[in-house]
Amino acid sequence: MLWRLIRFFLLQALGAGLGFALWPLQYPFQGALLGTVLAGAAWALVDLGRGAKLLHWLREGALVPMPEVPGLWGEVGTRTRSLLREREQQLAHSDARLAEFLAAIQTSPNGVVLLDAQGRIEWCNRTAAEHFGFDQQRDLGQHLGNLLRDPVFAAYQAAHDYSHAVVIPGPRSTVSRPMRLSVDLHAYGDGRRLLLSRDVTALEQAEAMRRDFVANVSHEIRTPLTVLGGFVETLQTLQLKPQEQQRYLTLMAQQAQRMHLLVSDLLTLSRLEGSPPPPLEEWHSVQALMDDCEREARALSALVAAPPHILSFSSNVHTELAGASSELLSAMSNLVSNAVRYTPGGGRIDVVWTPLPDGRAELSVQDTGPGISPEHLPRLTERFYRVDRSRARETGGTGLGLAIVKHVAQRHGAELKIESRPGQGSRFAIQFPAVRLMESVQTQFA
Ligand code: ADP
């Protein structure tokens, strides 16, 4: 700056000197003054030219390279350029942060929609687009009210009370594929709003299942309890003959047994749900499981059927099965006891272990019982689902047997296959994966 002032004054002095020397002798001081003014004007003109160059560059922005301007304007230019660069870097950084931020919101499992003060969509993530059926590009700027016409949501939006969420059916919801969305609005900024959506279909279904389950269990327990209560009252109030008393006590014992079975099946199910997966390194002889099952089946058949069933079980099975033996036995005996209970006396029941060509193996229980209509088949493994509710009491089932079988199968990576036709008997098969099967040690060294 000092050097610049010195140069300015030197130019002034030069102008004054020239004016003094060149002007007619009688007006030397006017000549010097004129020289100074002219030198100042020349300086100003040059400066103006440099300033104009810089202004041109600033107007053109980054399209034109910065002109080489010496002096003060040059310094102004350099400083401006570095300031601009800094600003550009800051902008690029902010853009990158914004892109990262939006990418994070894109991956959110919840729907996010940004609305402007007029309720128009400014931005929405993929999940929101899926939930509401929006097009992420085309629907930007559209009024939310035009796209989301659910009356519950419209009332919620109009009430301006955003302290709670509302649950609405998803716009693409159908009877076969229902979709329930929990949506809530949050006000922010200058009249803007944030719309959040969450898919609560599974949650609502689980809640409905829980309610049904509690209602079913209560019903199943209340029925024998009512019967028991009735008998107790009769025994208390009426003078019965010993024979009649005995009959009543037998019926009471049956009801107590029914409740006992129900509670023990419920405990089995809850254990299956809460316990760790069955081990892959605990091996059990299939033949031993089959023998246990056979003993149970023969005892049950002798109890419930006359004439007894014709029972046949695979023998000489030299395979080991990995898993939890109590669970495997429970699944097998549930299938076998169903076959015994539903097949009339004299009917045939075959329990067969068959290796499958792809390395898996199957345990099948086939009976010559009444069979099941196709419409019931997909629902048989639901808890408390029975084909014939009125017959349930006679057969003494809890309605949980096949639910237990399915659970055990799933836990062992196996599949439960059911084939049945009315009048043609039924076939229930559990297909075990190859990883859980091994040839018995005795056969390996035989
Ligand atoms: P339950 O304790 O009532 O037998 P399950 O879950 O074991 O309950 O079976 C569900 C329903 O499937 C039964 O109520 C019965 O209607 C039907 N079912 C099961 N096994 C057989 C079978 N072998 N033959 C005919 N129907 C069967």
Side-chain angles (χ1 to χ4, degrees):
M1 192 67 195
L2 181 70
W3 175 233
R4 192 173 152 75
L5 276 175
I6 293 171
R7 277 195 308 173
F8 179 72
F9 285 123
L10 278 176
L11 187 71
Q12 298 282 292
L14 187 69
L18 277 174
F20 190 83
L22 296 177
W23 207 254
L25 270 179
Q26 61 269 43
Y27 305 114
F29 290 108
Q30 284 91 330
L33 190 66
L34 189 66
T36 314
V37 170
L38 283 176
W43 176 279
L45 263 177
V46 170
D47 239 24
L48 217 62
R50 289 171 180 172
K53 268 191 191 172
L54 204 64
L55 196 65
H56 171 73
W57 171 67
L58 280 174
R59 280 200 185 126
E60 293 298 314
L63 296 176
V64 180
M66 197 189 108
E68 283 296 324
V69 188
L72 189 69
W73 289 114
E75 199 175 327
V76 169
T78 316
R79 292 271 159 92
T80 311
R81 186 170 55 187
S82 69
L83 265 176
L84 281 175
R85 276 200 189 138
E86 228 171 81
R87 206 44 66 79
E88 267 169 20
Q89 276 169 0
Q90 275 175 359
L91 268 176
H93 184 65
S94 306
D95 279 355
R97 290 296 304 271
L98 183 66
E100 273 172 28
F101 183 68
L102 291 181
I105 304 183
Q106 278 292 13
T107 61
S108 162
N110 293 340
V112 181
V113 184
L114 303 183
L115 301 171
D116 68 10
Q118 280 71 45
R120 286 180 301 227
I121 299 172
E122 282 191 317
W123 184 86
C124 75
N125 70 351
R126 262 193 300 275
T127 315
E130 267 167 39
H131 282 172
F132 300 115
F134 294 164
D135 184 307
Q136 267 187 292
Q137 299 305 323
R138 205 189 52 218
D139 289 336
L140 293 186
Q142 292 272 2
H143 270 278
L144 181 68
N146 293 340
L147 301 174
L148 194 56
R149 292 171 178 274
D150 182 83
V152 174
F153 180 73
Y156 169 70
Q157 203 178 5
H160 291 282
D161 172 14
Y162 305 148
S163 56
H164 62 286
V166 284
V167 177
I168 60 170
R172 293 174 178 175
S173 182
T174 58
V175 180
S176 56
R177 287 197 66 193
M179 184 190 209
R180 305 278 296 164
L181 296 174
S182 165
V183 288
D184 50 340
L185 282 165
H186 299 270
Y188 77 100
D190 208 3
R192 287 157 191 270
R193 278 161 309 158
L194 173 74
L195 171 71
L196 298 178
S197 62
R198 198 158 53 95
D199 187 344
V200 290
T201 317
L203 211 70
E204 288 214 337
Q205 277 171 351
E207 181 56 23
M209 272 171 72
R210 194 193 61 78
R211 273 198 306 270
D212 285 355
F213 183 66
V214 171
N216 275 325
V217 170
S218 314
H219 175 78
E220 294 286 331
I221 289 183
R222 199 180 50 198
T223 312
L225 263 183
T226 313
V227 179
L228 259 180
F231 287 147
V232 170
E233 214 179 294
T234 312
L235 287 174
Q236 279 173 334
T237 51
L238 294 181
Q239 283 294 329
L240 299 172
K241 289 183 198 140
Q243 244 178 340
E244 276 176 330
Q245 263 187 11
Q246 201 50 46
R247 197 170 66 84
Y248 273 81
L249 286 173
T250 312
L251 290 170
M252 284 167 76
Q254 276 173 4
Q255 295 305 321
Q257 172 68 3
R258 197 175 151 197
M259 280 200 289
H260 176 79
L261 282 179
L262 178 67
V263 171
S264 95
D265 272 0
L266 283 171
L267 283 175
T268 306
L269 265 179
S270 104
R271 259 197 306 271
L272 287 176
E273 275 168 357
S275 55
L280 256 172
E281 59 287 337
E282 262 179 43
W283 295 92
H284 311 283
S285 149
V286 172
Q287 187 59 58
L289 288 168
M290 196 78 104
D291 294 344
D292 285 348
C293 235
E294 183 170 356
R295 263 192 300 279
E296 273 183 33
R298 290 196 188 280
L300 184 65
S301 172
L303 208 67
V304 300
H309 297 105
I310 304 158
L311 294 168
S312 132
F313 283 78
S314 282
S315 55
N316 291 323
V317 179
H318 302 293
T319 307
E320 308 251 320
L321 185 53
S325 65
S326 60
E327 290 182 25
L328 293 168
L329 186 62
S330 159
M332 284 164 77
S333 62
N334 261 307
L335 290 184
V336 176
S337 88
N338 274 356
V340 171
R341 285 186 296 113
Y342 292 107
T343 306
R348 192 182 164 81
I349 296 167
D350 291 299
V351 182
V352 185
W353 179 262
T354 325
L356 299 176
D358 57 4
R360 294 182 303 153
E362 164 187 280
L363 174 99
S364 62
V365 179
Q366 185 152 13
D367 63 48
T368 55
I372 305 162
S373 302
E375 71 269 20
H376 295 295
L377 295 182
R379 298 196 60 189
L380 284 188
T381 53
E382 284 176 24
R383 289 164 192 204
F384 299 113
Y385 187 83
R386 292 176 175 111
V387 172
D388 186 350
R389 291 206 160 258
S390 54
R391 276 203 61 212
R393 206 168 301 145
E394 291 167 40
T395 51
T398 59
L400 296 172
L402 290 179
I404 293 175
V405 177
K406 187 177 175 193
H407 243 291
V408 172
Q410 275 174 347
R411 282 165 58 77
H412 286 79
E415 270 183 283
L416 172 65
K417 303 270 180 192
I418 308 175
E419 292 161 32
S420 187
R421 276 213 203 140
Q424 294 186 19
S426 311
R427 184 176 189 273
F428 291 78
I430 309 178
Q431 296 181 338
F432 292 96
V435 276
R436 288 200 177 260
L437 302 169
M438 177 175 84
E439 239 184 287
S440 298
V441 181
Q442 297 97 303
T443 3
Q444 282 175 21
F445 294 106

